[in-house]
Structure formats: C-alpha cells, structure tokens
Amino acid sequence: KFLRPIYADPSVNKRSQHTLMSYKAYFKQVTGITLHPANNDLLFGIDKVRDYLYQGKIKIFNNLEHFKHEASVYAFPSPEDKDFKNTNNKPIDKDNHLMDCLRYMIVHLPNNPGEFKASFQQDELALQGVYFGKKENDPTNGGQFNEVLYGFKR
C-alpha cells in the first residue's frame, strides 16, 4: 500500500498496439499497482517544482548523474537558436523524461510548499525496515538527512 497515489505521464491511458490494453491496465496487471494520470499543465508544474526547490522541500542526491544532466540541459529555447519555434512558451522537448517525472510527482502536492509535511519521520520508518542513504560531506547533521523524502525497504 502506498501513502499517496502514484502519478504517471498522462499518456498512461493510451492503448498499446502490442497488448491492446492501456498502459495503466497493463502496469496494474503486471505489478498490482494502479497508476493515475498526472496533471500535465507544464508551466504550472515547472513553477511548483521551482517553489518546492527554493523552500528546500526537494533534495536531489549528488550521484543522480542522468538527473543532473537532464536538469542542466532543460531550458526554454532562445530566439538566438537557429531552430527557434517557441510559440507556446514551452521548454525544449528533448532529454526531459526525468524532469517530467519530477513535475508529475510534485504537481499533486499542496500549492504552498510550507504546507507539505513528510508522512513519516525517519526514525518511524527505520522501525519498519526502511533504509536511508547518507548525505555526503555534511558534518552538520552527522551525515544523515534531516527530512524524509524516499527510502528503500531492506
């Protein structure tokens, strides 16, 4: 059981040509997990992720190389770009799968990041066998995370 719904790309409702099932139905059949289509309002989602980042509600691990790469190239096109065609004020639609995933996770949280509270504290989850990695090079808190974001069952 999950504490919150699991949101996915809104295309999860499309049918696969191979199985003739929606991706949502296929995923449920294979894993038992129900996926919900996320809000795909791009600019709203980008603004909300920015707000959560600025308020320190999202922590990004240093070893997420693919995520860091995508974040570094995620940009709106510039009029100086030779292929500039940005009539909808949208970021370049390339190398953005992890950025979309982050947006889908955050967009359904409270609009005010200050209202977001972790469902469990780290010590409560540790009693349930959830392992948390250590924050590298942070002597101020003994190398442990101060906030619970994600954990992995032992």
Side-chain angles (χ1 to χ4, degrees):
K1 182 177 177 178
F2 296 97
L3 299 175
R4 292 190 172 87
I6 305 296
Y7 291 100
D9 188 298
S11 66
V12 74
N13 285 325
K14 290 184 179 178
R15 292 190 181 278
S16 164
Q17 292 179 353
H18 177 70
T19 64
L20 303 178
M21 297 173 69
S22 71
Y23 294 105
K24 178 180 176 177
Y26 179 76
F27 194 79
K28 172 76 172 181
Q29 181 182 40
V30 172
T31 66
I33 297 171
T34 300
L35 298 176
H36 302 274
N39 176 341
N40 205 25
D41 183 334
L42 187 64
L43 298 178
F44 173 73
I46 290 171
D47 286 345
K48 197 162 183 181
V49 168
R50 182 205 58 224
D51 293 346
Y52 271 74
L53 282 167
Y54 284 168
Q55 290 202 24
K57 295 293 184 172
I58 301 173
K59 308 289 189 222
I60 308 297
F61 287 90
N62 289 333
N63 63 347
L64 298 176
E65 297 302 323
H66 295 291
F67 185 93
K68 290 190 317 189
H69 169 72
E70 276 195 23
S72 73
V73 298
Y74 193 71
F76 287 82
S78 164
E80 293 82 34
D81 294 340
K82 66 178 182 170
D83 296 327
F84 180 73
K85 298 176 201 161
N86 195 23
T87 58
N88 297 356
N89 194 28
K90 292 182 179 178
I92 299 167
D93 189 16
K94 181 179 181 196
D95 298 326
N96 60 358
H97 297 292
L98 295 173
M99 299 299 100
D100 286 348
C101 181
L102 176 62
R103 192 167 44 84
Y104 298 149
M105 288 188 326
I106 300 301
V107 77
H108 293 279
L109 296 178
N111 286 335
N112 177 359
E115 295 174 5
F116 178 73
K117 303 289 184 229
S119 299
F120 292 99
Q121 294 302 317
Q122 185 171 342
D123 55 347
E124 294 174 287
L125 290 171
L127 293 174
Q128 297 178 27
V130 176
Y131 167 78
F132 292 89
K134 292 188 175 185
K135 191 172 188 179
E136 295 178 18
N137 302 322
D138 190 356
T140 62
N141 66 357
Q144 297 293 316
F145 286 105
N146 291 325
E147 299 176 58
V148 172
L149 295 180
Y150 294 99
F152 303 94
K153 199 80 166 162
R154 288 185 192 165

